[in-house]
Amino acid sequence: MVHIRSQREVDFIRESSRIVFNTLNMLEKEIKPGVKGEYLDQLAEELIHSEGGEPAFKGYMGYPSSLCISFNHEVVHGIPNSCEFREGDIVGIDCGVLKNGYYGDSARTYPIGDISKDLKRLLEVTEESLYIGIKKAKTGNRVSDIGYAVQDFVEGYGFSVVRDLVGHGIGRQLHEDPQVPNYGEPGNGVELHAGVCLAIEPMVNFGREEIFTKPNGWTICTKDGKPSAHFEHTIVVTSQGGKILSNGVYDG
Ligand code: MF3
Ligand code: CO
């Protein structure tokens, strides 16, 4: 069942998403060679608590940390650890917050120091594909219109979209209906109504789309070992397209 949120509920989802936004901004300044993921996880947890929120991922299906930190060929769900960040790598940071009974969820992939042209391209295309998907989260469109637009854009650059993981409805639960794939044909799935809140999150692989899960049960990696990027926003569907709730902007 797909929930349509009242203005009051959207404001709660925006509040949790604002804390996620602040957390990602704070972490962005810390990203440099030598820093450790477990340190960033601690910083994130402190900030989230100081804003009256709870880290949404910690304890979710037994997940051990507040952030997901995924390097290079790791697609998503990397567990923060004591490995030092290395110049030239890319790192995906995913953060979720629960406050007032509502969730917010957002992710970005960052360069660590100087990165190759190819990696820059991967980050740019993945981020832009998120914004292209968000534009399609418009009243009267169907959920697959989002994925179709994302896939069409990404494949135009010769990259591939991950199919085994999807975006999701968000609100009282971290993951709600509908699923939001980053691929597909247009015009399928549920119709989007104003007030539907979604986490749109393209995962884009430099090479082939296939992935596997590491023996730790969490970390998802590309099968071909090539890099992958991930950007995510929490949005609300409007007649103008998706309005981003996880960018720190209040615009009604
Ligand atoms: N942003 C991811 C998602 O929406 C993070 C989930 S990590 C988990 O699925 F630990 F909470 F599972
Ligand atoms: Co998500």
Side-chain angles (χ1 to χ4, degrees):
M1 170 188 169
V2 177
H3 294 274
I4 295 177
R5 302 298 176 183
S6 66
Q7 179 70 47
R8 181 183 137 83
E9 289 182 291
V10 171
D11 286 343
F12 282 139
I13 295 168
R14 185 182 352 242
E15 168 62 7
S16 298
S17 301
R18 182 191 64 79
I19 300 171
V20 173
F21 173 76
N22 286 351
T23 304
L24 292 175
N25 284 351
M26 179 270 293
L27 295 172
E28 186 162 356
K29 298 187 194 111
E30 301 289 332
I31 291 172
K32 47 184 156 295
V35 81
K36 294 173 180 173
E38 60 188 12
Y39 170 66
L40 297 189
D41 196 65
Q42 193 187 328
L43 290 181
E45 191 166 328
E46 284 166 15
L47 181 66
I48 292 166
H49 280 141
S50 76
E51 298 257 19
E54 291 295 327
F57 302 164
K58 201 166 196 167
Y60 180 87
M61 314 253 293
Y63 187 73
S65 304
S66 297
L67 301 173
C68 299
I69 298 187
S70 312
F71 298 99
N72 301 324
H73 68 288
E74 295 173 349
V75 179
V76 285
H77 301 171
I79 300 173
N81 59 27
S82 60
C83 290
E84 292 188 1
F85 284 26
R86 291 182 316 194
E87 174 98 21
D89 286 355
I90 56 172
V91 61
I93 301 191
D94 192 345
C95 180
V97 165
L98 171 65
K99 183 175 172 180
N100 302 311
Y102 291 86
Y103 286 88
D105 187 6
S106 180
R108 302 177 196 162
T109 304
Y110 299 102
I112 304 171
D114 263 338
I115 58 170
S116 69
K117 262 197 177 151
D118 279 349
L119 286 176
K120 272 185 199 153
R121 194 82 178 141
L122 178 68
L123 298 193
E124 284 165 9
V125 168
T126 308
E127 184 167 18
E128 196 170 347
S129 77
L130 169 60
Y131 289 100
I132 283 168
I134 289 171
K135 272 196 206 132
K136 299 288 178 184
K138 194 173 156 180
T139 313
N141 275 358
R142 290 186 180 267
V143 72
S144 81
D145 293 327
I146 299 170
Y148 174 74
V150 169
Q151 180 184 10
D152 185 54
F153 180 74
V154 163
E155 290 181 351
Y157 287 88
F159 301 143
S160 61
V161 290
V162 172
R163 289 152 197 261
D164 298 347
L165 298 165
V166 295
H168 48 95
I170 185 166
R172 284 234 170 241
Q173 306 292 329
L174 178 61
H175 297 134
E176 297 185 354
D177 289 344
Q179 293 197 350
V180 185
N182 297 299
Y183 66 93
E185 295 302 320
N188 293 331
V190 294
E191 189 178 330
L192 298 173
H193 296 283
V196 169
C197 291
L198 303 174
I200 301 179
E201 49 179 320
M203 288 149 267
V204 174
N205 291 354
F206 191 84
R208 292 174 56 84
E209 80 196 41
E210 288 84 2
I211 57 174
F212 71 96
T213 308
K214 276 192 183 170
N216 68 16
W218 283 103
T219 315
I220 311 278
C221 299
T222 60
K223 268 196 185 158
D224 63 11
K226 294 189 177 161
S228 181
H230 176 218
F231 284 82
E232 175 177 25
H233 270 308
T234 295
I235 65 101
V236 58
V237 173
T238 79
S239 59
Q240 317 292 310
K243 184 192 287 180
I244 300 173
L245 302 176
S246 49
N247 64 1
V249 175
Y250 187 88
D251 54 0

mmCIF file with all atom_site columns, all heavy atoms in Angstrom, residues 229-243:
data_model
loop_
_atom_site.group_PDB
_atom_site.id
_atom_site.type_symbol
_atom_site.label_atom_id
_atom_site.label_alt_id
_atom_site.label_comp_id
_atom_site.label_asym_id
_atom_site.label_entity_id
_atom_site.label_seq_id
_atom_site.pdbx_PDB_ins_code
_atom_site.Cartn_x
_atom_site.Cartn_y
_atom_site.Cartn_z
_atom_site.occupancy
_atom_site.B_iso_or_equiv
_atom_site.pdbx_formal_charge
_atom_site.auth_seq_id
_atom_site.auth_comp_id
_atom_site.auth_asym_id
_atom_site.auth_atom_id
_atom_site.pdbx_PDB_model_num
ATOM 1   N N   . ALA A 1 229 ? 28.743 3.971  -8.323  1.00 0.00 ? 229 ALA A N   1
ATOM 2   C CA  . ALA A 1 229 ? 28.385 5.184  -7.582  1.00 0.00 ? 229 ALA A CA  1
ATOM 3   C C   . ALA A 1 229 ? 26.907 5.161  -7.202  1.00 0.00 ? 229 ALA A C   1
ATOM 4   O O   . ALA A 1 229 ? 26.107 4.467  -7.844  1.00 0.00 ? 229 ALA A O   1
ATOM 5   C CB  . ALA A 1 229 ? 28.693 6.421  -8.426  1.00 0.00 ? 229 ALA A CB  1
ATOM 6   N N   . HIS A 1 230 ? 26.567 5.940  -6.184  1.00 0.00 ? 230 HIS A N   1
ATOM 7   C CA  . HIS A 1 230 ? 25.208 5.929  -5.615  1.00 0.00 ? 230 HIS A CA  1
ATOM 8   C C   . HIS A 1 230 ? 24.871 7.321  -5.103  1.00 0.00 ? 230 HIS A C   1
ATOM 9   O O   . HIS A 1 230 ? 25.651 7.889  -4.334  1.00 0.00 ? 230 HIS A O   1
ATOM 10  C CB  . HIS A 1 230 ? 25.208 4.929  -4.440  1.00 0.00 ? 230 HIS A CB  1
ATOM 11  C CG  . HIS A 1 230 ? 23.937 4.832  -3.659  1.00 0.00 ? 230 HIS A CG  1
ATOM 12  N ND1 . HIS A 1 230 ? 23.938 4.674  -2.278  1.00 0.00 ? 230 HIS A ND1 1
ATOM 13  C CD2 . HIS A 1 230 ? 22.635 4.852  -4.032  1.00 0.00 ? 230 HIS A CD2 1
ATOM 14  C CE1 . HIS A 1 230 ? 22.693 4.597  -1.857  1.00 0.00 ? 230 HIS A CE1 1
ATOM 15  N NE2 . HIS A 1 230 ? 21.877 4.701  -2.891  1.00 0.00 ? 230 HIS A NE2 1
ATOM 16  N N   . PHE A 1 231 ? 23.752 7.851  -5.566  1.00 0.00 ? 231 PHE A N   1
ATOM 17  C CA  . PHE A 1 231 ? 23.226 9.109  -5.022  1.00 0.00 ? 231 PHE A CA  1
ATOM 18  C C   . PHE A 1 231 ? 21.766 8.896  -4.677  1.00 0.00 ? 231 PHE A C   1
ATOM 19  O O   . PHE A 1 231 ? 21.049 8.203  -5.419  1.00 0.00 ? 231 PHE A O   1
ATOM 20  C CB  . PHE A 1 231 ? 23.355 10.253 -6.042  1.00 0.00 ? 231 PHE A CB  1
ATOM 21  C CG  . PHE A 1 231 ? 24.761 10.794 -6.181  1.00 0.00 ? 231 PHE A CG  1
ATOM 22  C CD1 . PHE A 1 231 ? 25.686 10.158 -6.986  1.00 0.00 ? 231 PHE A CD1 1
ATOM 23  C CD2 . PHE A 1 231 ? 25.151 11.927 -5.488  1.00 0.00 ? 231 PHE A CD2 1
ATOM 24  C CE1 . PHE A 1 231 ? 26.983 10.646 -7.114  1.00 0.00 ? 231 PHE A CE1 1
ATOM 25  C CE2 . PHE A 1 231 ? 26.443 12.434 -5.609  1.00 0.00 ? 231 PHE A CE2 1
ATOM 26  C CZ  . PHE A 1 231 ? 27.362 11.788 -6.428  1.00 0.00 ? 231 PHE A CZ  1
ATOM 27  N N   . GLU A 1 232 ? 21.324 9.483  -3.589  1.00 0.00 ? 232 GLU A N   1
ATOM 28  C CA  . GLU A 1 232 ? 19.947 9.266  -3.119  1.00 0.00 ? 232 GLU A CA  1
ATOM 29  C C   . GLU A 1 232 ? 19.395 10.530 -2.483  1.00 0.00 ? 232 GLU A C   1
ATOM 30  O O   . GLU A 1 232 ? 20.094 11.222 -1.736  1.00 0.00 ? 232 GLU A O   1
ATOM 31  C CB  . GLU A 1 232 ? 19.950 8.143  -2.067  1.00 0.00 ? 232 GLU A CB  1
ATOM 32  C CG  . GLU A 1 232 ? 18.594 7.891  -1.415  1.00 0.00 ? 232 GLU A CG  1
ATOM 33  C CD  . GLU A 1 232 ? 18.617 6.726  -0.424  1.00 0.00 ? 232 GLU A CD  1
ATOM 34  O OE1 . GLU A 1 232 ? 19.702 6.409  0.118   1.00 0.00 ? 232 GLU A OE1 1
ATOM 35  O OE2 . GLU A 1 232 ? 17.551 6.144  -0.189  1.00 0.00 ? 232 GLU A OE2 1
ATOM 36  N N   . HIS A 1 233 ? 18.122 10.817 -2.778  1.00 0.00 ? 233 HIS A N   1
ATOM 37  C CA  . HIS A 1 233 ? 17.380 11.867 -2.082  1.00 0.00 ? 233 HIS A CA  1
ATOM 38  C C   . HIS A 1 233 ? 16.021 11.325 -1.650  1.00 0.00 ? 233 HIS A C   1
ATOM 39  O O   . HIS A 1 233 ? 15.437 10.476 -2.333  1.00 0.00 ? 233 HIS A O   1
ATOM 40  C CB  . HIS A 1 233 ? 17.135 13.079 -2.981  1.00 0.00 ? 233 HIS A CB  1
ATOM 41  C CG  . HIS A 1 233 ? 18.205 14.126 -2.930  1.00 0.00 ? 233 HIS A CG  1
ATOM 42  N ND1 . HIS A 1 233 ? 18.663 14.674 -1.742  1.00 0.00 ? 233 HIS A ND1 1
ATOM 43  C CD2 . HIS A 1 233 ? 18.893 14.748 -3.918  1.00 0.00 ? 233 HIS A CD2 1
ATOM 44  C CE1 . HIS A 1 233 ? 19.589 15.590 -2.016  1.00 0.00 ? 233 HIS A CE1 1
ATOM 45  N NE2 . HIS A 1 233 ? 19.756 15.648 -3.320  1.00 0.00 ? 233 HIS A NE2 1
ATOM 46  N N   . THR A 1 234 ? 15.528 11.876 -0.551  1.00 0.00 ? 234 THR A N   1
ATOM 47  C CA  . THR A 1 234 ? 14.134 11.682 -0.150  1.00 0.00 ? 234 THR A CA  1
ATOM 48  C C   . THR A 1 234 ? 13.330 12.832 -0.760  1.00 0.00 ? 234 THR A C   1
ATOM 49  O O   . THR A 1 234 ? 13.714 13.996 -0.611  1.00 0.00 ? 234 THR A O   1
ATOM 50  C CB  . THR A 1 234 ? 14.026 11.683 1.386   1.00 0.00 ? 234 THR A CB  1
ATOM 51  O OG1 . THR A 1 234 ? 14.740 10.544 1.892   1.00 0.00 ? 234 THR A OG1 1
ATOM 52  C CG2 . THR A 1 234 ? 12.570 11.621 1.842   1.00 0.00 ? 234 THR A CG2 1
ATOM 53  N N   . ILE A 1 235 ? 12.240 12.484 -1.437  1.00 0.00 ? 235 ILE A N   1
ATOM 54  C CA  . ILE A 1 235 ? 11.445 13.503 -2.148  1.00 0.00 ? 235 ILE A CA  1
ATOM 55  C C   . ILE A 1 235 ? 9.949  13.300 -1.860  1.00 0.00 ? 235 ILE A C   1
ATOM 56  O O   . ILE A 1 235 ? 9.535  12.230 -1.424  1.00 0.00 ? 235 ILE A O   1
ATOM 57  C CB  . ILE A 1 235 ? 11.673 13.449 -3.675  1.00 0.00 ? 235 ILE A CB  1
ATOM 58  C CG1 . ILE A 1 235 ? 11.175 12.124 -4.283  1.00 0.00 ? 235 ILE A CG1 1
ATOM 59  C CG2 . ILE A 1 235 ? 13.158 13.622 -4.019  1.00 0.00 ? 235 ILE A CG2 1
ATOM 60  C CD1 . ILE A 1 235 ? 9.852  12.195 -4.973  1.00 0.00 ? 235 ILE A CD1 1
ATOM 61  N N   . VAL A 1 236 ? 9.176  14.346 -2.154  1.00 0.00 ? 236 VAL A N   1
ATOM 62  C CA  . VAL A 1 236 ? 7.710  14.199 -2.142  1.00 0.00 ? 236 VAL A CA  1
ATOM 63  C C   . VAL A 1 236 ? 7.207  14.505 -3.552  1.00 0.00 ? 236 VAL A C   1
ATOM 64  O O   . VAL A 1 236 ? 7.685  15.433 -4.203  1.00 0.00 ? 236 VAL A O   1
ATOM 65  C CB  . VAL A 1 236 ? 7.061  15.102 -1.062  1.00 0.00 ? 236 VAL A CB  1
ATOM 66  C CG1 . VAL A 1 236 ? 7.381  16.587 -1.247  1.00 0.00 ? 236 VAL A CG1 1
ATOM 67  C CG2 . VAL A 1 236 ? 5.543  14.886 -1.025  1.00 0.00 ? 236 VAL A CG2 1
ATOM 68  N N   . VAL A 1 237 ? 6.285  13.685 -4.003  1.00 0.00 ? 237 VAL A N   1
ATOM 69  C CA  . VAL A 1 237 ? 5.707  13.870 -5.336  1.00 0.00 ? 237 VAL A CA  1
ATOM 70  C C   . VAL A 1 237 ? 4.832  15.125 -5.342  1.00 0.00 ? 237 VAL A C   1
ATOM 71  O O   . VAL A 1 237 ? 4.023  15.330 -4.431  1.00 0.00 ? 237 VAL A O   1
ATOM 72  C CB  . VAL A 1 237 ? 4.856  12.643 -5.730  1.00 0.00 ? 237 VAL A CB  1
ATOM 73  C CG1 . VAL A 1 237 ? 4.103  12.890 -7.045  1.00 0.00 ? 237 VAL A CG1 1
ATOM 74  C CG2 . VAL A 1 237 ? 5.720  11.388 -5.814  1.00 0.00 ? 237 VAL A CG2 1
ATOM 75  N N   . THR A 1 238 ? 5.012  15.980 -6.370  1.00 0.00 ? 238 THR A N   1
ATOM 76  C CA  . THR A 1 238 ? 4.137  17.147 -6.567  1.00 0.00 ? 238 THR A CA  1
ATOM 77  C C   . THR A 1 238 ? 3.788  17.233 -8.057  1.00 0.00 ? 238 THR A C   1
ATOM 78  O O   . THR A 1 238 ? 4.363  16.505 -8.883  1.00 0.00 ? 238 THR A O   1
ATOM 79  C CB  . THR A 1 238 ? 4.805  18.488 -6.150  1.00 0.00 ? 238 THR A CB  1
ATOM 80  O OG1 . THR A 1 238 ? 5.688  18.904 -7.196  1.00 0.00 ? 238 THR A OG1 1
ATOM 81  C CG2 . THR A 1 238 ? 5.567  18.382 -4.846  1.00 0.00 ? 238 THR A CG2 1
ATOM 82  N N   . SER A 1 239 ? 2.905  18.165 -8.374  1.00 0.00 ? 239 SER A N   1
ATOM 83  C CA  . SER A 1 239 ? 2.510  18.343 -9.785  1.00 0.00 ? 239 SER A CA  1
ATOM 84  C C   . SER A 1 239 ? 3.665  18.909 -10.613 1.00 0.00 ? 239 SER A C   1
ATOM 85  O O   . SER A 1 239 ? 3.625  18.891 -11.838 1.00 0.00 ? 239 SER A O   1
ATOM 86  C CB  . SER A 1 239 ? 1.298  19.263 -9.878  1.00 0.00 ? 239 SER A CB  1
ATOM 87  O OG  . SER A 1 239 ? 1.621  20.515 -9.303  1.00 0.00 ? 239 SER A OG  1
ATOM 88  N N   . GLN A 1 240 ? 4.689  19.424 -9.922  1.00 0.00 ? 240 GLN A N   1
ATOM 89  C CA  . GLN A 1 240 ? 5.868  19.977 -10.612 1.00 0.00 ? 240 GLN A CA  1
ATOM 90  C C   . GLN A 1 240 ? 7.008  18.967 -10.721 1.00 0.00 ? 240 GLN A C   1
ATOM 91  O O   . GLN A 1 240 ? 8.103  19.339 -11.141 1.00 0.00 ? 240 GLN A O   1
ATOM 92  C CB  . GLN A 1 240 ? 6.430  21.184 -9.839  1.00 0.00 ? 240 GLN A CB  1
ATOM 93  C CG  . GLN A 1 240 ? 5.412  22.148 -9.305  1.00 0.00 ? 240 GLN A CG  1
ATOM 94  C CD  . GLN A 1 240 ? 4.733  22.886 -10.430 1.00 0.00 ? 240 GLN A CD  1
ATOM 95  O OE1 . GLN A 1 240 ? 5.395  23.431 -11.307 1.00 0.00 ? 240 GLN A OE1 1
ATOM 96  N NE2 . GLN A 1 240 ? 3.418  22.866 -10.432 1.00 0.00 ? 240 GLN A NE2 1
ATOM 97  N N   . GLY A 1 241 ? 6.788  17.740 -10.256 1.00 0.00 ? 241 GLY A N   1
ATOM 98  C CA  . GLY A 1 241 ? 7.891  16.779 -10.162 1.00 0.00 ? 241 GLY A CA  1
ATOM 99  C C   . GLY A 1 241 ? 8.269  16.604 -8.704  1.00 0.00 ? 241 GLY A C   1
ATOM 100 O O   . GLY A 1 241 ? 7.637  17.199 -7.816  1.00 0.00 ? 241 GLY A O   1
ATOM 101 N N   . GLY A 1 242 ? 9.276  15.786 -8.449  1.00 0.00 ? 242 GLY A N   1
ATOM 102 C CA  . GLY A 1 242 ? 9.667  15.532 -7.056  1.00 0.00 ? 242 GLY A CA  1
ATOM 103 C C   . GLY A 1 242 ? 10.232 16.773 -6.398  1.00 0.00 ? 242 GLY A C   1
ATOM 104 O O   . GLY A 1 242 ? 11.047 17.468 -7.000  1.00 0.00 ? 242 GLY A O   1
ATOM 105 N N   . LYS A 1 243 ? 9.757  17.046 -5.195  1.00 0.00 ? 243 LYS A N   1
ATOM 106 C CA  . LYS A 1 243 ? 10.359 18.129 -4.405  1.00 0.00 ? 243 LYS A CA  1
ATOM 107 C C   . LYS A 1 243 ? 11.324 17.474 -3.408  1.00 0.00 ? 243 LYS A C   1
ATOM 108 O O   . LYS A 1 243 ? 10.934 16.578 -2.646  1.00 0.00 ? 243 LYS A O   1
ATOM 109 C CB  . LYS A 1 243 ? 9.272  18.905 -3.660  1.00 0.00 ? 243 LYS A CB  1
ATOM 110 C CG  . LYS A 1 243 ? 9.830  20.093 -2.898  1.00 0.00 ? 243 LYS A CG  1
ATOM 111 C CD  . LYS A 1 243 ? 8.814  20.675 -1.956  1.00 0.00 ? 243 LYS A CD  1
ATOM 112 C CE  . LYS A 1 243 ? 7.733  21.436 -2.688  1.00 0.00 ? 243 LYS A CE  1
ATOM 113 N NZ  . LYS A 1 243 ? 6.739  21.990 -1.723  1.00 0.00 ? 243 LYS A NZ  1
#
